[in-house]
Each structure stands twice: as C-alpha cells, then as structure tokens.
C-alpha cells in the first residue's frame, strides 16, 4: 500500500520541483553570445591588386625585397603574401600594449588620408590580442588595412626586434628604409615619405 502511494506522489513531487522536463515553451537555441563587432580596419584585398610581376629590381634601386611571408588579414578573407604587396607603401608594425605605438597610430591614419593613392599605408599588428587591436582601432579611428602577425615573423624576417617599426617600400617592392626611433609624428612621417618614396605631402 505504501509503495502504491509513493508511486502516486512521485509525479506530484517532480512537478512541484520543476524536474519533469515538460514545459509549455518549446526548447529554443542556446542564448547567442554577444555579436562580434565589425572590424574598424579596411579590407586587405587592394594591398596586392595590380602587383608588379616579380623579377629583377629596376635599375638604380637598392635594398632588400619584402619577405616571402604570408599573414592573415584582420578582416578575414584571403591571406596576404607580404612580398606581393603593391608599393609604394608605408608599413607600420605595432601592438596595442605598446605606448609609442598607440601615440603614433593617429598620425599614420592621417598619413593614409593624405596619401591620395600615391602610396599605401598598411598596419601589421604583431604579438597582440584581437580584442586589444580592435579596441585601439576603434578608439583612434584607424581605417587602413591591417595584417595580423601573431608572433613576430615579419620583424624577424627583417632582422628587427623593435616596437613600433616603420618600413618604407618603393614601387618595386624594395625596402628603402626602416625606422625604429620611437613614436613618429606627422612632420617626421612626411619627411620619411619625401626622402625615401619621393612623395611630397
């Protein structure tokens, strides 16, 4: 008799405790995580558009070629072989945890706006977290294309270990100058572009 009473009370106890698993609402998908914020940076596809065919350097040029190194683009899409980047270009290697990098990034954004199609400004975010780079890009309004170097392969390929690092590349893809003197301002960037790329701003 007590066993029968127990069988009668079990469903009632389960219902009160909310453990039956039967609900009036259909089970839906798990709550979505916060949507990923759109990237502040530009797409990398134009970096290699109409890239010159590889071959011997033009007469009178000097300096090493860009390294044969493939990096991903912050916005996704096809990876970019650095050697295929169409020059002239100013490449800025930076990280969000580097104070001089943060100081000079707005000047590089202004440089990209003043370039007027005469050269490209490209970022290489190195040894950084995606969230850190995203936040700095948003805070400083950085819009130029951004490659991602999760280690320091780009710097090692140039024999450098400095933050920030600026690399000026001519139309033939030859490195004309590297600068690791610290945070660059508008005047110093204009001087470097004039001296090493022959472009007056």
């Amino acid at each position: 008799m007590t066993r029968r009473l127990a069988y009668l009370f079990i469903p009632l106890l389960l219902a009160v405790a909310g453990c039956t698993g039967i609900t009036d609402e259909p089970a839906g998908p798990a709550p979505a995580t916060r949507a990923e914020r759109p990237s502040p940076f530009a797409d990398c596809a134009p970096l290699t558009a109409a890239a010159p065919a590889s071959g011997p350097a033009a007469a009178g040029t000097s300096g090493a070629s860009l390294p044969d190194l493939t990096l991903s683009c912050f916005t996704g899409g096809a990876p970019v072989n650095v050697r295929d980047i169409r020059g002239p270009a100013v490449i800025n290697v930076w990280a969000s945890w580097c104070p001089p990098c943060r100081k000079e990034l707005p000047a590089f954004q202004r440089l990209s706006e003043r370039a007027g199609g005469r050269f490209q400004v490209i970022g290489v975010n190195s040894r950084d977290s995606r969230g850190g780079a995203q936040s700095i890009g948003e805070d400083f309004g950085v819009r130029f294309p951004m490659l991602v170097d999760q280690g320091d392969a780009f710097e090692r390929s140039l024999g450098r270990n400095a933050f920030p690092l600026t690399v000026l590349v001519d139309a033939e893809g030859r490195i004309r100058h590297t600068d690791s003197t610290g945070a660059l301002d508008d005047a110093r960037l204009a001087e470097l572009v004039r001296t090493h790329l022959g472009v007056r701003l």
Side-chain angles (χ1 to χ4, degrees), residues 96-150:
S96 64
W97 46 261
C98 160
C101 301
R102 294 195 303 270
K103 183 176 181 181
E104 71 177 5
L105 270 174
F108 277 92
Q109 176 57 34
R110 290 188 292 272
L111 181 68
S112 73
E113 293 164 3
R114 296 167 64 195
R118 295 171 289 177
F119 58 89
Q120 301 189 86
V121 175
I122 304 162
V124 175
N125 182 245
S126 181
R127 296 189 231 169
D128 207 352
S129 69
R130 183 175 181 88
Q134 171 99 13
S135 293
I136 293 295
E138 291 169 346
D139 291 348
F140 295 134
V142 177
R143 300 290 176 256
F144 49 84
M146 193 63 59
L147 299 173
V148 179
D149 185 1
Q150 293 182 328

Side-chain angles (χ1 to χ4, degrees), residues 41-49 71-80 85 120 122-123 144-148:
F41 308 115
D43 183 60
C44 299
L47 299 183
T48 57
L71 298 176
S72 58
C73 181
F74 197 94
T75 60
V80 174
I85 288 175
Q120 301 189 86
I122 304 162
F144 49 84
M146 193 63 59
L147 299 173
V148 179

Side-chain angles (χ1 to χ4, degrees), residues 151-197:
D152 58 355
F154 183 71
E155 290 167 282
R156 281 188 285 110
S157 70
L158 301 178
R160 297 298 183 113
N161 185 24
F163 279 92
L165 180 67
T166 301
V167 181
L168 288 97
V169 181
D170 68 16
E172 285 76 38
R174 311 287 291 182
I175 297 172
R176 305 305 305 204
H177 180 73
T178 56
D179 188 287
S180 57
T181 58
L184 302 176
D185 59 16
D186 295 274
R188 179 68 177 139
L189 281 171
E191 178 188 343
L192 289 171
V193 167
R194 182 178 66 251
T195 302
H196 301 288
L197 301 182

